[in-house]
Amino acid sequence: MDLLNCKITDLTALIRSKKLSVEELCRFYLDRIERFNPELNAVLTTNSFALQKARDIDNHFSSYKERPLVGIPILLKDVFCVKNMKTTAGSKMLENFIAPYSAEVTKRLEKAGAIILGKCNQDEFAMGTSNENSAFGVVLNPWNKEYVPGGSSGGSAAAVSAGLCVASIGTDTGGSIRQPASFCNLIGVKPTYGRVSRYGMIAYASSLDQAGPMTMYVEDNALILEALTGRDSKDSTSAQSDVPKWFLNRGSTNIKKLKVGFLNKKEAESFCSSEVMQVLEQVVNLLQSHGAIVEEVSLPLMEVAVPVYYLISTSEASSNLARYDGIRYGSRFDFKNTPPSSLEEFYSQNRGFGFGNEVKRRIIMGTYCLSSGYYDEYYNKASQIRRKMRDEFIKIFSEFSLLLSPVSLSTAFKFGEKPVGSLKSYLVDNFTVSSNLAGLPSLSVPAGFSPVTSLPIGVQLIGNHFDEQTLFDVALLIQEEIKAVGKRPVI
Ligand code: GLN
């Protein structure tokens, strides 16, 4: 049985028909983690209760049988709290933090019958594009170990593509699900803002953060997102919308009736590598051959999307990360030989010790943007542009049902090629941040490989608010016709 290449529904069918036990499946993945993770460094913690939970499901199968994700081993980015498990957010600041409760995402997965297999490496506090910015070491891209897996959900991406779990959950504030998905040949979905509860998810920038699944197949993604979605009264920004049946309704979109906008094509041509553009052209041809209309469309404000994103996200981060003071939250500096001379020094030593350089850089930038005298010039201005950008998108969606764009400027890059904190590393986010600023659902789907390096290339689909169905359906067409989806690296 080729367990590794089964879709979730194949696995749950095997489990339901008792051809496979949950314990066997769980062991299969734990063994793979033991074998391949020492080199990849994608997984930070495995759940010591996973096998016990698997046996529990096997032993009480009748009460689990109907659950959509029964027995499916899933890894979480290390920002999701799992009760009694270490939750580090990739930071020394939370190196010893054991979560006293579970995130809503964790609870919903468990309720759906999934097994939480463990936690994945990531850029510290989800800040980064390459996973070079974790306090627990870099993650290698399983497609080529000299290259980054993308970030900030780099561990979550590498783990799925290397077959260390069936699926993983990442978070996306400005591209952190979609970009690593593109670098590792996965489907990565950032849902509409408010679809998935942020309760128990360690915050980076609260008005932008969304959780979403990273999977090998489109159908798996739809199935998991259904389990995660729905109103949660513990998150005031959680949307009051129904849970759609994306999986059941898959393929229901009439491609012939679609009007697709190729977003800022000229800009994409000038920024992106030719191999990225070729893959996009191939997707355009596919859509046209199925009767869709594809036209260029422009969002002029995209020109300032990266600066607007960094002003807003660092401002929110400076506020969210103020809680790590070494008293209420966070690691404490060892003061044994040098007791602090003031409370201020106590805080600053703790924060200086616990946070890495990129996090410090962003806190300083965000605090500056929010400080009196600069607030109007930076934070307020950025918020106004953000609102205008959202309005521009809404106008575009009155005419188009879907937008197409690159995910990133290129395939995965080599370690050290875009130094952490450099403008070069920030510009990688050019095509992903605007969906977060506007709260739109957006997805990355594998659509080709570099003819030079053989590294994967994904394309980005952006939908109207709450219209994930169109995204899933077009991604499904790309999966079926282009056939880059489902391919794995040799590790
Ligand atoms: N690369 C972006 C950043 O560093 C996005 C991060 C994210 O989506 N969490 O801010």
Side-chain angles (χ1 to χ4, degrees):
M1 206 174 343
D2 181 14
L3 289 184
L4 209 50
N5 295 311
C6 283
K7 291 182 182 168
I8 288 180
T9 46
D10 300 330
L11 291 170
T12 52
L14 288 171
I15 291 170
R16 289 194 183 105
S17 62
K18 304 265 176 175
K19 290 191 180 111
L20 175 72
S21 74
V22 178
E23 185 178 348
E24 271 174 278
L25 185 61
C26 199
R27 274 192 197 284
F28 173 79
Y29 281 107
L30 287 171
D31 288 349
R32 288 188 64 88
I33 293 176
E34 208 177 296
R35 195 162 137 215
F36 298 111
N37 193 57
E39 192 187 3
L40 295 173
N41 197 27
V43 180
L44 292 177
T45 317
T46 48
N47 183 358
S48 49
F49 300 107
L51 275 177
Q52 197 179 314
K53 179 75 198 167
R55 279 193 288 268
D56 188 51
I57 297 181
D58 284 330
N59 293 338
H60 303 92
F61 197 64
S62 55
S63 55
Y64 286 96
K65 204 165 121 195
E66 301 304 326
R67 306 193 192 194
L69 302 176
V70 61
I72 300 301
I74 290 180
L75 285 166
L76 304 179
K77 184 176 183 177
D78 210 10
V79 284
F80 295 100
C81 289
V82 178
K83 194 174 174 176
N84 296 332
M85 244 180 109
K86 215 189 220 189
T87 299
T88 68
S91 180
K92 205 159 73 167
M93 189 54 105
L94 291 173
E95 196 172 8
N96 301 311
F97 174 62
I98 309 279
Y101 67 98
S102 281
E104 186 63 16
V105 159
T106 311
K107 284 199 214 145
R108 288 189 188 214
L109 287 171
E110 285 172 339
K111 196 166 158 226
I115 306 266
I116 306 296
L117 205 58
K119 308 297 249 357
C120 290
N121 204 344
Q122 59 167 95
D123 283 304
E124 185 176 1
F125 284 101
M127 299 174 185
T129 49
S130 63
N131 221 120
E132 288 165 293
N133 192 25
S134 160
F136 307 109
V138 298
V139 175
L140 311 191
N141 188 325
W143 285 87
N144 184 329
K145 291 167 190 150
E146 287 171 18
Y147 290 77
V148 304
S152 62
S153 315
S156 305
V160 178
S161 93
L164 308 187
C165 56
V166 175
S168 66
I169 311 293
T171 60
D172 191 311
T173 307
S176 281
I177 289 177
R178 290 160 286 160
Q179 183 251 23
S182 173
F183 285 8
C184 293
N185 210 46
L186 306 175
I187 323 287
V189 174
K190 182 207 89 70
T192 306
Y193 184 79
R195 273 277 193 220
V196 180
S197 169
R198 291 180 296 106
Y199 179 77
M201 182 177 116
I202 294 172
Y204 160 18
S206 311
S207 77
L208 302 160
D209 296 344
Q210 262 299 279
M214 306 177 80
T215 60
M216 288 297 293
Y217 303 100
V218 177
E219 297 91 325
D220 291 0
N221 210 299
L223 211 54
I224 296 176
L225 190 58
E226 276 179 34
L228 300 182
T229 294
R231 170 80 190 152
D232 173 21
S233 57
K234 298 187 292 316
D235 172 1
S236 60
T237 61
S238 151
Q240 198 90 47
S241 60
D242 296 340
V243 181
K245 300 213 174 319
W246 294 302
F247 178 76
L248 200 71
N249 295 329
R250 65 192 185 281
S252 59
T253 303
N254 187 348
I255 307 286
K256 273 199 196 82
K257 289 214 171 121
L258 279 188
K259 190 164 171 195
V260 181
F262 194 137
L263 190 60
N264 289 19
K265 189 172 177 207
K266 300 263 158 357
E267 198 180 350
E269 275 162 353
S270 66
F271 274 118
C272 298
S273 66
S274 58
E275 46 193 30
V276 167
M277 292 315 292
Q278 274 159 20
V279 166
L280 273 158
E281 279 308 324
Q282 207 190 330
V283 171
V284 170
N285 293 340
L286 171 72
L287 292 171
Q288 284 171 335
S289 72
H290 280 75
I293 295 171
V294 185
E295 278 175 16
E296 286 179 38
V297 60
S298 121
L299 183 90
L301 282 175
M302 212 161 118
E303 204 180 54
V304 290
V306 169
V308 167
Y309 165 78
Y310 275 96
L311 289 175
I312 290 177
S313 64
T314 56
S315 298
E316 292 188 18
S318 92
S319 162
N320 274 327
L321 272 58
R323 74 190 71 175
Y324 303 103
D325 54 12
I327 299 178
R328 290 168 307 159
Y329 292 100
S331 307
R332 192 172 289 187
F333 177 72
D334 181 1
F335 288 101
K336 236 185 283 146
N337 301 322
T338 48
S341 57
S342 65
L343 184 61
E344 203 159 283
E345 196 195 322
F346 176 74
Y347 286 147
S348 89
Q349 291 277 40
N350 289 338
R351 286 166 69 79
F353 165 76
F355 288 135
N357 284 343
E358 180 62 10
V359 174
K360 286 179 190 159
R361 189 177 295 119
R362 293 194 191 199
I363 291 175
I364 291 169
M365 193 156 117
T367 309
Y368 181 79
C369 295
L370 292 177
S371 56
S372 98
Y374 295 103
Y375 185 93
D376 281 341
E377 208 175 325
Y378 295 116
Y379 183 75
N380 237 357
K381 189 53 138 233
S383 301
Q384 283 163 352
I385 299 173
R386 177 184 190 180
R387 163 56 73 168
K388 283 201 151 177
M389 192 181 283
R390 187 175 186 274
D391 293 345
E392 275 187 7
F393 267 119
I394 289 175
K395 205 161 138 229
I396 291 176
F397 279 113
S398 65
E399 198 189 330
F400 293 87
S401 27
L402 180 75
L403 299 175
L404 175 69
S405 97
V407 180
S408 196
L409 314 184
S410 64
T411 59
F413 43 89
K414 282 195 171 160
F415 288 100
E417 199 178 312
K418 297 186 200 292
V420 168
S422 66
L423 201 55
K424 239 177 161 184
S425 79
Y426 293 161
L427 285 174
V428 167
D429 304 327
N430 193 54
F431 296 100
T432 45
V433 293
S434 48
S435 319
N436 302 75
L437 289 167
L440 296 165
S442 148
L443 152 167
S444 162
V445 53
F449 296 89
S450 157
V452 185
T453 58
S454 306
L455 288 166
I457 300 172
V459 298
Q460 179 173 227
L461 308 175
I462 305 171
N464 203 352
H465 290 113
F466 297 100
D467 184 18
E468 282 85 357
Q469 189 74 59
T470 306
L471 300 185
F472 281 131
D473 288 350
V474 173
L476 199 58
L477 178 74
I478 294 172
Q479 170 173 306
E480 276 158 13
E481 301 281 328
I482 294 185
K483 301 204 185 315
V485 172
K487 294 223 161 76
R488 287 198 193 262
V490 181
I491 53 168

